[in-house]
Amino acid sequence: MTLLEKFRTKENVQNVLSKIGDNVSQDWAIMEICGGQTHAIMQSGLHDLLPDEIELIHGPGCPVCVTSLELVDKAISIASRDNVIFTSYGDMLRVPGSERDLFSVRASGGDVRVVYSSLEALRIARDYPEKEVVFFGIGFETTAPANAISVVKAKENNIKNYSMLVSQVRVPPAMRAILGSELNRIQGFLAAGHVCAVMGYWEYEPIAEEYRTPITVTGFEPLDICYGILETVKMLESGRSEVVNAYPRVVTREGNQPAQKFIENAYEPCDRQWRGIGMIPMSGWKLNNQYEEFDAERRFGVENINTKESDICISGLILQGLKKPDECPAFGTLCTPQNPLGATMVSSEGACSAYYHYGSGRK
Ligand code: SF4
């Protein structure tokens, strides 16, 4: 048996599911923040196996989904220029902008390339010194250190034709925004294990205390998710608002401190727009003074962008946990992975995509 197989074994999962059943006595609404966890829940069928009292609400933790429409339109504007090679993680190419997507820029002759890391983009900049090479730096705390490395290396190696369109976002301010909303009905959170592997979970302790909401650091295998739910239910049932680490094989309270130093060195916190949600104060990072020469927004002067969101798509409500994907009238008809109207149907971490691929099974 491999290390991960025991976290997928039916008997082990059923054992924890029955413990959840033993501990739950009333209805609870729990949000899994991360889109990767949403996919794992849908793929493994956990949403159908949990006791009826547990409602899982899908959170905004999909970096492709929350990248603002304005930044997508800026990416399209930059990528359309003759002297630019625009590089991005693959999912971003199909995300609808106001009028088109990055794929259509490529189809009409733009040099838009899929890369697997920011350092691959930097290598392209080295190989094509006559071109401006731009990397679309999206993501949560998980990608922030690796994306930062490219601008640090660009500065060290005096690579002037490289820049990054920055869309880094942070989980804790989003949790505060959700809990502070008058529409909120989240009573407990499953925090994303990979984000906590980088940042630790010390940032969550004041949130749990201030909003009286238990938070459980949770992994991605079916057994991890069941453990996360079990720990959250135990806290809810006993009235405790703490942070519990149910993913100790990967996460420590302090997290990966060298990675956090990389973030501190290259970025500074900023307000950021989240697609479908709006501006969340101090929920992003931008390049700091030391590295602002590599900021693509400054280099290409794309300040005045007029955006137009789809009239049909309700992904904003889904990302806030206020609606489920199959409550969207376009789900599976006008909107499919082949013809996405919103980013949540595009991304491999999007809730609409998870419902489409694994069945809605709404709880
Ligand atoms: S199904 Fe499509 S249109 Fe509806 S919310 Fe999801 S992405 Fe938007």
Side-chain angles (χ1 to χ4, degrees), residues 17-254:
L17 281 169
S18 83
K19 285 185 183 162
I20 295 171
D22 292 343
N23 278 274
V24 71
S25 70
Q26 64 181 91
D27 290 349
W28 298 111
I30 298 171
M31 174 177 275
E32 84 276 4
I33 308 249
C34 173
Q37 289 170 333
T38 304
H39 272 252
I41 288 163
M42 299 299 295
Q43 185 175 23
S44 60
L46 283 181
H47 54 290
D48 282 335
L49 300 172
L50 286 165
D52 288 342
E53 291 90 341
I54 309 292
E55 181 186 6
L56 289 179
I57 297 178
H58 318 308
C62 160
V64 171
C65 307
V66 300
T67 296
S68 73
L69 180 58
E70 187 183 9
L71 272 174
V72 174
D73 283 349
K74 286 180 178 179
I76 290 165
S77 166
I78 294 169
S80 303
R81 301 184 191 199
D82 285 340
N83 66 331
V84 167
I85 299 174
F86 193 89
T87 65
S88 171
Y89 300 128
D91 275 359
M92 287 308 295
L93 268 60
R94 298 182 57 235
V95 171
S98 293
E99 291 175 1
R100 59 195 304 215
D101 59 23
L102 284 165
F103 253 131
S104 76
V105 175
R106 186 156 85 174
S108 55
D111 195 343
V112 178
R113 304 186 188 185
V114 172
V115 292
Y116 293 95
S117 74
S118 64
L119 290 180
E120 195 180 340
L122 190 61
R123 185 181 51 73
I124 295 171
R126 273 204 193 98
D127 291 347
Y128 294 87
E130 74 284 9
K131 295 276 193 178
E132 282 288 333
V133 175
V134 183
F135 174 66
F136 204 171
I138 71 155
F140 284 86
E141 291 92 332
T142 42
T143 60
N147 289 347
I149 287 171
S150 67
V151 292
V152 172
K153 293 282 175 203
K155 193 173 178 87
E156 280 175 8
N157 295 292
N158 201 27
I159 299 174
K160 300 280 189 194
N161 64 323
Y162 177 77
S163 60
M164 184 157 75
L165 183 61
V166 182
S167 177
Q168 297 292 163
V169 281
R170 303 173 55 221
V171 171
M175 291 169 80
R176 287 182 180 279
I178 290 166
L179 291 171
S181 164
E182 58 187 23
L183 300 173
N184 175 54
R185 55 191 196 90
I186 309 301
Q187 295 162 296
F189 277 111
L190 307 184
H194 54 358
V195 169
C196 296
V198 176
M199 301 303 292
Y201 54 87
W202 52 272
E203 288 183 289
Y204 299 115
E205 290 165 349
I207 298 175
E209 190 180 339
E210 184 179 336
Y211 293 93
R212 298 183 167 278
T213 302
I215 300 170
T216 306
V217 179
T218 302
F220 295 86
E221 297 300 328
L223 189 61
D224 289 318
I225 292 168
C226 288
Y227 268 130
I229 295 168
L230 175 61
E231 293 300 330
T232 309
V233 166
K234 283 200 232 168
M235 285 193 278
L236 286 165
E237 291 280 342
S238 61
R240 287 181 291 129
S241 306
E242 298 167 10
V243 180
V244 167
N245 182 9
Y247 199 32
R249 71 181 187 279
V250 173
V251 173
T252 62
R253 181 177 181 277
E254 283 71 31

Side-chain angles (χ1 to χ4, degrees), residues 312-315 318 325 328 330-331 335 341-345 352:
I312 304 170
C313 182
I314 61 161
S315 60
I318 292 166
C328 172
F331 176 79
C335 181
L341 295 182
T344 46
M345 187 58 96
C352 297

